[in-house]
Amino acid sequence: MLYTLEYAKQLDQEDILNRFREEFYIKPNSIYMDGNSLGLLSKRAERTLLESLNDWKEHGIDGWTSGNHPWFFLSEKLGEMMAPLVGGSANEVIVTGSTTVNLHQLVATFYKPEGTRTKILADELTFPSDIYALQSQLRIHGFDPETHLIRVKSRDGRFLEEEDIIEAMTDEIALIILPTVLYRSGQILDMKRLTAEANRRGILIGFDGCHSIGAIPHSFTEWGVDFAYWCNYKHLNGGPGSVGGLYVNSKHFGTAPGLAGWFGSKKDKQFDMEHSLTPADSAGAYQIGTPHVLSLAPLLGALEIFAEAGIENIRAKSLNINQYLMDLINQELHDFGFTIGNPCDDIRRGGHVSLEHKEAARICKALKENDVIPDFRAPNIIRLAPVALYTSYTEVWEVVQILKKIMTEKQYEKFKNEREVVA
Ligand SMILES: *Cc1c(COP(=O)(O)O)cnc(C)c1O
């Protein structure tokens, strides 16, 4: 019963988030399992983008202060809308820059090597862009990344152990940068525990929330996290190149931005055009220049959906539908050499399933040929993300049937086992 199509349909009927699916543009006869890399367009996001375009059409320069969504206040407004998703207050969140740019800003602001505390702690599984940013920030400070960037090792190539991270929090560490959820294995780090341990040692800690924002709830302020940054084009469905987000704990308000620019000004001072910056007393201080309005606008609609659906409901369905996917994989695909490479416990599991196989690259190509959109991460990972807001249980059931067919018929053999330019 548990593995039948009828059961999948029943789960869809019982799904309280079911009604949001029709708000998204879902290509007919195709199954999108890549919402953790680029979320789909919703009708509401399209509407708010078009409204902003219209503001430009109708108001020209006055669009900054009038029209549907006055551009001058858009980053702050979106920060307020996003705050519940990260567990911050409205003035602790600002929608600005991009993940990597925001990391640069936050490290430039909060990395203050002093005495023997000069090193930055990260991990060996983190996203490469974060590492490049940290290496370059160390070089700017005159340190050698080889000696000053400490990367916590993984014991098995998939996961990080919190004990190992805590052990690495020595008195040489000035700053810690960690992912909330690991981009390959989908492991959630215990942010509360890690933050408490960092705070206790007087080390600042910041998180990369790219893979958790919009998928799991956070309590950054309650936990005492110093800062965080993330992108809005994955689970948040803000669109390709969507403007990113950052969080700064209010205890740090007043810390001068490392990379200053006029959009970090107090709003009512910005147009005084003085040559000394009066920073906003909020996360807004860490903005740099003019916001990319057309890449902000879809978020207005996208975030409305999150407010209505509720992040707790989203997390509950995400856990359930990912578990369902794993159950089906275990039931239907056990003979084909797959390994589930994500944590199985709910408490350690993010929003996607990480399926390992030595033929992963070409299995992904075969999936695409069968109109299933997966995500490949070299060398051997197929990421499948059933997204709470728009993936149905029926689709998950179909994906596993298609995978089974691909494996039984060895359909992947006609492709090369190599990644595409964008994987
Ligand atoms: C997607 C992602 C990024 C991307 O950074 P951009 O600056 O938006 O290109 C960075 N870090 C992690 C963990 C990601 O998943």
Side-chain angles (χ1 to χ4, degrees):
M1 175 60 195
L2 291 179
Y3 308 110
T4 62
L5 177 57
E6 287 63 40
Y7 185 63
K9 287 181 176 166
Q10 186 188 323
L11 291 172
D12 281 327
Q13 272 173 8
E14 291 165 1
D15 173 13
I16 58 164
L17 298 181
N18 205 347
R19 69 194 159 97
F20 291 103
R21 180 174 160 83
E22 64 197 36
E23 299 217 23
F24 287 85
Y25 287 101
I26 295 170
K27 208 172 143 203
N29 306 317
S30 155
I31 303 180
Y32 197 74
M33 298 298 282
D34 207 2
N36 61 330
S37 235
L38 179 70
L40 290 179
L41 174 65
S42 64
K43 289 171 190 167
R44 287 198 238 193
E46 177 183 51
R47 190 199 75 223
T48 53
L49 172 59
L50 292 176
E51 283 168 355
S52 295
L53 259 183
N54 199 61
D55 285 342
W56 179 22
K57 198 193 281 178
E58 297 278 324
H59 301 277
I61 186 79
D62 288 334
W64 285 102
T65 49
S66 43
N68 288 299
H69 312 293
W71 309 323
F72 191 58
F73 307 100
L74 211 47
S75 295
E76 285 76 11
K77 180 178 176 171
L78 286 165
E80 187 178 341
M81 292 173 77
M82 214 170 268
L85 297 180
V86 298
S89 57
N91 62 354
E92 290 175 314
V93 183
I94 191 83
V95 177
T96 187
S98 64
T99 313
T100 311
V101 169
N102 290 342
L103 173 57
H104 272 292
Q105 169 68 297
L106 292 162
V107 175
T109 303
F110 293 109
Y111 171 52
K112 296 193 169 144
E114 236 183 75
T116 58
R117 268 195 203 281
T118 53
K119 298 184 178 176
I120 298 179
L121 181 63
D123 70 271
E124 68 166 2
L125 298 181
T126 210
F127 199 84
S129 198
D130 296 49
I131 293 295
Y132 306 156
L134 295 177
Q135 289 168 333
S136 67
Q137 286 288 336
L138 283 164
R139 278 188 215 107
I140 289 171
H141 281 88
F143 293 115
D144 180 357
E146 286 295 321
T147 54
H148 278 66
L149 179 59
I150 308 297
R151 274 174 276 186
V152 175
K153 290 215 171 347
S154 163
R155 297 182 193 183
D156 59 3
R158 294 189 185 107
F159 307 134
L160 296 170
E161 299 305 322
E162 280 81 2
E163 296 91 278
D164 297 346
I165 299 173
I166 293 164
E167 203 181 291
M169 295 182 188
T170 66
D171 55 12
E172 294 188 329
I173 305 294
L175 182 69
I176 303 170
I177 302 287
L178 291 168
T180 55
V181 166
L182 274 65
Y183 76 102
R184 286 163 181 277
S185 69
Q187 178 195 355
I188 300 181
L189 289 181
D190 185 343
M191 291 169 257
K192 182 177 177 181
R193 177 175 170 202
L194 293 168
T195 301
E197 295 289 346
N199 285 348
R200 227 153 49 80
R201 292 166 174 76
I203 308 172
L204 294 185
I205 186 163
F207 286 99
D208 178 332
C210 282
H211 274 280
S212 62
I213 181 87
I216 70 174
H218 308 74
S219 306
F220 285 155
T221 299
E222 188 193 315
W223 296 334
V225 169
D226 291 292
F227 60 85
Y229 56 97
W230 56 86
C231 62
N232 292 321
Y233 47 78
K234 291 172 179 158
H235 288 278
L236 275 190
N237 314 315
S242 174
V243 175
L246 67 79
Y247 163 91
V248 174
N249 192 303
S250 63
K251 69 184 170 201
H252 295 302
F253 289 178
T255 305
L259 308 176
W262 74 319
F263 264 79
S265 298
K266 257 196 167 114
K267 291 306 236 193
D268 56 349
K269 293 286 286 177
Q270 182 169 341
F271 278 86
D272 288 351
M273 306 307 256
E274 282 170 10
H275 274 191
S276 66
L277 170 69
T278 308
D281 43 17
S282 66
Y286 307 98
Q287 297 174 86
I288 301 176
T290 305
H292 303 169
V293 171
L294 298 182
S295 298
L296 283 171
L299 281 167
L300 287 160
L303 286 170
E304 259 179 46
I305 299 180
F306 281 83
E308 273 173 41
I311 190 67
E312 298 291 342
N313 293 330
I314 287 170
R315 174 62 171 160
K317 174 171 171 190
S318 170
L319 280 173
N320 205 48
I321 196 167
N322 274 281
Q323 184 65 54
Y324 178 62
L325 173 57
M326 291 191 289
D327 291 347
L328 286 173
I329 288 168
N330 287 331
Q331 170 71 16
E332 303 282 354
L333 300 175
H334 49 76
D335 289 340
F336 299 106
F338 289 102
T339 306
I340 290 183
N342 52 276
C344 290
D345 293 347
D346 282 5
I347 197 158
R348 290 185 92 202
R349 180 154 63 82
H352 68 265
V353 166
S354 178
L355 198 55
E356 300 172 6
H357 197 287
K358 62 181 179 4
E359 308 284 359
R362 50 185 181 165
I363 293 172
C364 283
K365 291 177 191 171
L367 279 167
K368 282 199 163 173
E369 201 189 43
N370 283 274
D371 296 310
V372 175
I373 314 301
D375 185 284
F376 172 67
R377 281 292 170 265
N380 67 338
I381 297 176
I382 304 169
R383 293 190 308 187
L384 296 171
V387 171
L389 286 173
Y390 54 77
T391 308
S392 69
Y393 289 86
T394 308
E395 285 179 315
V396 168
W397 186 86
E398 283 169 353
V399 165
V400 175
Q401 297 307 312
I402 290 167
L403 252 182
K404 190 174 179 181
K405 189 157 186 284
I406 288 170
M407 300 313 292
T408 309
E409 296 174 3
K410 296 193 162 58
Q411 284 181 26
Y412 56 86
E413 283 184 348
K414 66 180 176 193
F415 302 100
K416 279 202 181 133
N417 199 33
E418 291 169 354
R419 70 169 168 79
E420 310 282 351
V421 176
V422 174

